[in-house]
Each structure stands twice: as structure tokens, then as C-alpha cells.
Amino acid sequence: MVKELQLRVTLKEEEHHDILVIKSAQVLDIDKEDITGVKVLRKSIDARKPKIIFNYKVAVYIREVMPKSSEYQFDYKDVSKAKPIHIIGFGPAGMYAALRCIELGFKPIVLERGKNVQDRRRDLRAINQQHFVNEDSNYCFGEGGAGTYSDGKLYTRSLKRGDVRRIFENLVYHGATDQILVDAHPHIGTNKLPKVVQNIRETILKYGGEVHFETRVTDFVIKNNKIQAIQLNGKDEMPADRVILATGHSARDIFYLLHEKEIALEAKSFAMGVRVEHPQHIIDSIQYHCSGERHELLPAASYSLVQQVNDRGVYSFCMCPGGFIVPAATANGEVVVNGMSPSKRNNLFANSGIVVEIDVNRDLPKYEQFGALKGLEYQKNLERMAFTAGGRSQVAPAQRLTDFVEGKLSADLNPTSYQPGLNSSPLHSLMPKLIGSRLRKGFAAFGQKMKGYYTAEANIVGVESRTSSPVCIPRNERLEHPQIGGLFPCGEGGGYAGGIVSAAMDGERCAEAAIVGL
């Protein structure tokens, strides 16, 4: 017999290793010895009040063996001689599109402009230490895409677009901890993601797929409004009639290429702002109502904040407890920051993007000349400003949080996790008024919602500009571009996803759509 229960466990009770068995026996009014296993289905922490509660959803096995195998089985088959599907980009959307192709009996041929995860590390080191950006291999481009080196957060609200559990199970199948199947806000961790990504690549190769690194797509050969071939690295052509375009939100060259070829694009609303970085103990003390160090059973505290300011949302984005800030530029001459955390989230700092909604139909009248690329050009200008304000390297412009809100240049800055370093800059006057004025009011409001958040011990670091794509590549009900047959815009780069899980689900959907009629 199996019974599902909701259990509430106090922090003190959580210290007992068999508390779930004890609690389950009490609720079911049975002997502990009758319980053969308790499987945690969901776990979350309620820290809204000083008395912290762990909420569990569990399956209790009563005089019955608890199964160990996954409920999902992935039917990968040899596709070495099967019909090909070409996939451009090897981030979450591209990876899951390739895996789904194999399940469906088609051969994925993946074309990735960047390097594999091992070789990519050297280019990341060059950004941090020499301040040099390899435009094909950086925190956004390369095996695994931006997700590989940005924490691996798996929380999603896209529950209607596909099977979220299936996405998680596949990550576990490829080496992620099964804790992601349980946590309310799961993440894998920057230190563990590369191995998971490598395992996915090895599965694709094992079953006959292909993955080509350092292979940039530079043109599409189109005849009679249908894809015929892909040009690679400015010279070689590869015949292709079904192409899944999963290039991510930062592949600006693809947007420019499509625009130049007069292939339909649409401007898309997005968000931009800054990263704010606090000492982790400040966030812990606010969220856990504690002084000093948090209890060892509690994870580094996170937060989620939103405030309407002058008819625009100001909100936290990609919050990284126990994490660090990284340089996420994709070209020299720009400064972009992002955040990530190791699996243990044990760094001394907490950081989060704090961003402002940009309505491309109302907010960018001076950029109308750029048409569908107006948001992209606005984004680029903000990143160039940050490059100049930082000192024309990967050093980022920064300001104490209180000085930013009060409109004062910071005489000095707090310690930071951002390896290239910070330069005190008047971001309060350098940021466009559309963003800066709303951020200042938003931070003041956040200080009211979280007492202690508004502090001189926090830095803001510029700029957080790659929250999502500023361009949408349209597609029809068949997930195909309405103008170009055989082209399937996919994931974040197409404007159809907002994170690892939603991108992965969209990759699967595009694979299913691309094989129709083959």
C-alpha cells in the first residue's frame, strides 16, 4: 500500500534523520516498523514567520518495497543512417531537440559556434583575467549555452508547454542529482552542470547523432521560400531541409543575417537593469529572522521581489544565493553581467538581477529606424555605456546601493565576487532615465518589503541586459517560420522560452514538429 501525505516539519524536528518516518506513522496511526520507505516527492521551506517550517509531500510505502527505478524510460535508438534534422545551437533547446530527434528515429546534426565545455573554460578564464572576449566562446556561447555557466536554475512557470518532470528526469538520467526532482526551486550548480552537458553530448554521439563545435552558421541558402542549405564559417555549404534554429538570446549575428535577408522578425519587449550584490548573511538574516549564521540545515536564503513603478514592472531576476557575478559579454567593447552559484551555494555573497520592463512599442521612439532590431540596438547602447564607465575593459561600473538611490558617486565600494573588478561610477546618472529612475524607486520600495535590504553594504553592478531576447522570430501553428519553409525558430533566441526548462521543452516540441512529413 502507498499513501501520499503532506507533512509539516519544524526546524528542530528536521534535525532527526528519520523524522519523516516518525511523522508519517503518527499521521497514519500505524507502527513505524510497518513503513518500508518514504519517498520525498516535493520539498519547500516556509520562512515567512520566525518559526521555520519544512513542507513535504511524500509517498509512504506500507509493507511494500519502494521502487528505485525512474518512471521515465528514454528510448534512444541508433539513428546513424536515419534522415537528418539540422540543429543550430547546443544550449538547452538544441540539446533537448537533439535527444528528442533520436527518440523519434531521426539523426540530429548539431552545429555549435562555440567550443566543448572543457575547452570553453580557457576562454572564460581569459574574460575574467585578461578581459578578452572570444566572440564565439564565452559565458553565452559554447556547449550547453548560457545555462552551463549560469547556475542551472530549473524553476519554471511554463507548466502548460510540455512535460516538466520529463525534462528533469532526463537531466537526472545524464548525471544531475535526483534532488532536482524534489526541491520547489531546483538548481544543479555551476560546478556540476558541465559534466551533465558532456553526458548529453555523449548520448547523442553514441546513438549516431553528430555534434560539430566551432562551426558558425554564416548564411542560409533559400530557394522558393524554403531552406536548401546552411553556409558554415563563411565558406562550406551543408545541404539541409529541416533546420531548428536554437541559437539563444545573444546570437545577434543571426538576427542581423535574417534581417538583411528580409526574413520576417519582430521586436519583442524584454527587461534590463543591474545586478545587486549583498553579503549573503544579510539576506539570511532577513529571510530567516536570525542574527549571526543561519542554521546548518537551511540553504543560503533567496528572495523574489517585484514592484510596479510608473506603469512598469521592476523585479528580481535570476537570483543567485551563495553565488558570484560573472562577465557575460559576447563581444569586446561591451560589459554585461550575470550571476551563478555552485551546487552548495556556499559563496559569501548573494546577487540578483534587478531589472525594468522595456515596452518596445512605447519606450523606444528614438530607435524606430531600426525596425524589428530596435530593442537590440537599445540593449547594445546600454552595454557600451557600461564598457566606457567601467574603464574600457571587463571591469564593471558599480555604486553602493544607497548612493545609487540617493544620487551620489560612491567614494568606495564594497567587496565583490565579480572577478574582473569594479569601478565606482555614477550609474544613477548614466543609466537611461527609463530604467534608472524606476530602479531607484524600486530599490527604495524593496527596502520597505525586506527590512535591511536597502543598505550601504550592497553594491549595484552594471549592466544586466541579457534577460531575454529583444527579438522574436515568428512561427506559425506548425512551429515553422511563416515565410521560410523548413525553418523552426526555437527556444530563447526565437522568443519562445525564458530559462533552461522552458527552452528544453520548446526544443522537444520543435523536434516533434520538424519531423512531420519526412
Side-chain angles (χ1 to χ4, degrees):
M1 183 188 302
V2 181
K3 292 277 192 179
E4 285 194 5
L5 300 177
Q6 300 283 347
L7 301 177
R8 289 171 57 82
V9 178
T10 67
L11 183 56
K12 185 67 176 175
E13 290 173 331
E14 183 74 6
E15 295 176 356
H16 296 281
H17 72 279
D18 59 347
I19 188 61
L20 296 182
V21 174
I22 295 171
K23 284 270 188 179
S24 298
Q26 290 173 348
V27 171
L28 296 171
D29 193 23
I30 61 176
D31 291 332
K32 269 178 54 178
E33 289 70 25
D34 290 334
I35 297 177
T36 50
V38 177
K39 182 178 181 180
V40 178
L41 304 177
R42 205 73 172 154
K43 179 182 179 182
S44 63
I45 298 174
D46 185 348
R48 290 173 295 178
K49 297 179 180 178
K51 186 177 180 180
I52 294 171
I53 299 294
F54 291 80
N55 289 313
Y56 285 95
K57 180 181 179 181
V58 299
V60 183
Y61 288 78
I62 305 167
R63 295 184 294 276
E64 185 174 323
V65 177
M66 187 169 71
K68 294 183 179 180
S69 61
S70 166
E71 61 185 274
Y72 283 94
Q73 301 298 320
F74 298 98
D75 183 22
Y76 298 126
K77 56 199 72 174
D78 182 7
V79 295
S80 55
K81 300 187 186 319
K83 292 181 179 179
I85 303 289
H86 291 78
I87 301 167
I88 305 175
F90 201 44
M95 289 190 298
Y96 271 80
L99 291 172
R100 189 68 181 132
C101 282
I102 294 172
E103 286 186 287
L104 296 170
F106 292 82
K107 178 177 181 174
I109 299 176
V110 180
L111 309 170
E112 167 56 50
R113 68 191 295 167
K115 301 177 182 178
N116 65 47
V117 285
Q118 293 88 355
D119 294 341
R120 197 175 167 191
R121 292 178 191 273
R122 286 190 287 272
D123 296 313
L124 302 186
R125 192 157 48 245
I127 299 174
N128 281 296
Q129 297 179 1
Q130 285 86 48
H131 299 205
F132 174 77
V133 181
N134 181 326
E135 297 188 5
D136 287 316
S137 179
N138 45 61
Y139 278 97
C140 288
F141 299 146
E143 185 174 21
T148 301
Y149 293 103
S150 61
D151 200 82
K153 294 179 189 66
L154 303 177
Y155 180 69
T156 182
R157 293 184 176 89
S158 303
L159 302 179
K160 295 181 180 179
R161 297 186 185 180
D163 191 336
V164 174
R165 178 79 179 192
R166 173 185 158 83
I167 300 299
F168 283 24
E169 291 271 7
N170 214 336
L171 287 168
V172 173
Y173 177 87
H174 285 100
T177 172
D178 59 7
Q179 191 64 29
I180 67 172
L181 303 174
V182 172
D183 290 341
H185 288 79
H187 92 297
I188 297 175
T190 303
N191 53 321
K192 294 187 176 181
L193 262 169
K195 182 60 178 174
V196 175
V197 168
Q198 179 182 326
N199 290 342
I200 290 174
R201 181 225 308 165
E202 290 173 354
T203 291
I204 293 167
L205 298 177
K206 175 182 176 181
Y207 290 97
E210 298 178 14
V211 181
H212 301 270
F213 293 112
E214 298 183 69
T215 304
R216 185 204 282 242
V217 171
T218 48
D219 202 359
F220 298 106
V221 179
I222 299 169
K223 292 182 181 178
N224 300 321
N225 292 326
K226 192 172 188 319
I227 287 280
Q228 300 290 316
I230 307 167
Q231 185 191 76
L232 306 174
N233 298 326
K235 48 183 181 180
D236 302 322
E237 285 189 6
M238 177 180 286
D241 62 359
R242 300 295 170 95
V243 175
I244 296 174
L245 188 62
T247 47
H249 59 44
S250 291
R252 290 171 171 168
D253 56 326
I254 293 293
F255 297 138
Y256 285 124
L257 172 62
L258 297 176
H259 190 63
E260 288 165 8
K261 296 179 82 69
E262 298 184 345
I263 295 172
L265 298 172
E266 299 170 358
K268 174 179 156 295
S269 295
F270 59 112
M272 294 197 295
V274 295
R275 279 258 145 199
V276 61
E277 184 171 59
H278 289 79
Q280 181 64 50
H281 70 81
I282 290 179
I283 304 302
D284 289 341
S285 66
I286 297 170
Q287 299 295 72
Y288 293 140
H289 320 281
C290 64
S291 57
E293 293 188 6
R294 67 179 183 272
H295 193 284
E296 62 181 4
L297 292 178
L298 293 172
S302 63
Y303 61 83
S304 178
L305 292 165
V306 62
Q307 181 71 26
Q308 286 292 313
V309 179
N310 298 339
D311 197 31
R312 293 291 181 278
V314 179
Y315 59 92
S316 57
F317 171 83
C318 185
M319 197 275 147
C320 299
F324 43 94
I325 300 176
V326 297
T330 52
N332 292 290
E334 63 191 30
V335 166
V336 181
V337 292
N338 193 8
M340 62 174 63
S341 302
S343 57
K344 292 183 179 179
R345 291 184 163 175
N346 56 357
N347 198 21
L348 295 175
F349 298 96
N351 72 78
S352 178
I354 302 294
V355 296
V356 177
E357 291 177 332
I358 309 295
D359 185 330
V360 291
N361 296 316
R362 292 194 287 168
D363 294 338
L364 309 179
K366 294 181 180 179
Y367 291 78
E368 287 298 330
Q369 61 182 305
F370 298 107
L373 303 183
K374 57 187 174 182
L376 189 156
E377 295 298 330
Y378 185 76
Q379 185 187 62
K380 284 173 64 175
N381 279 348
L382 193 68
E383 295 167 3
R384 289 169 181 155
M385 175 279 291
F387 178 75
T388 302
R392 306 187 69 79
S393 69
Q394 285 303 300
V395 171
Q399 202 168 0
R400 287 182 183 252
L401 172 57
T402 49
D403 290 339
F404 174 73
V405 173
E406 295 164 17
K408 301 185 298 185
L409 179 67
S410 297
D412 56 10
L413 297 168
N414 297 299
T416 181
S417 65
Y418 183 69
Q419 193 172 345
L422 304 178
N423 182 45
S424 180
S425 304
L427 285 171
H428 63 276
S429 61
L430 293 174
M431 298 286 286
K433 186 177 180 181
L434 166 68
I435 298 173
S437 64
R438 287 181 171 88
L439 284 176
R440 292 166 74 181
K441 292 177 181 177
F443 277 123
F446 295 160
Q448 295 298 313
K449 294 181 178 184
M450 288 178 62
K451 301 299 183 183
Y453 182 91
Y454 182 70
T455 172
E457 291 185 64
N459 291 328
I460 64 161
V461 182
V463 290
E464 172 83 43
S465 54
R466 306 287 179 94
T467 58
S468 66
S469 174
V471 180
C472 175
I473 308 174
R475 66 189 188 191
N476 57 27
E477 67 279 359
R478 299 185 303 277
L479 309 188
E480 192 172 26
H481 193 282
Q483 181 184 348
I484 306 299
L487 181 65
F488 295 83
C490 182
E492 290 206 37
Y496 301 101
I500 290 173
V501 175
S502 56
M505 288 192 291
D506 200 56
E508 291 200 331
R509 292 178 67 215
C510 285
E512 292 162 3
I515 69 168
V516 174
L518 284 179

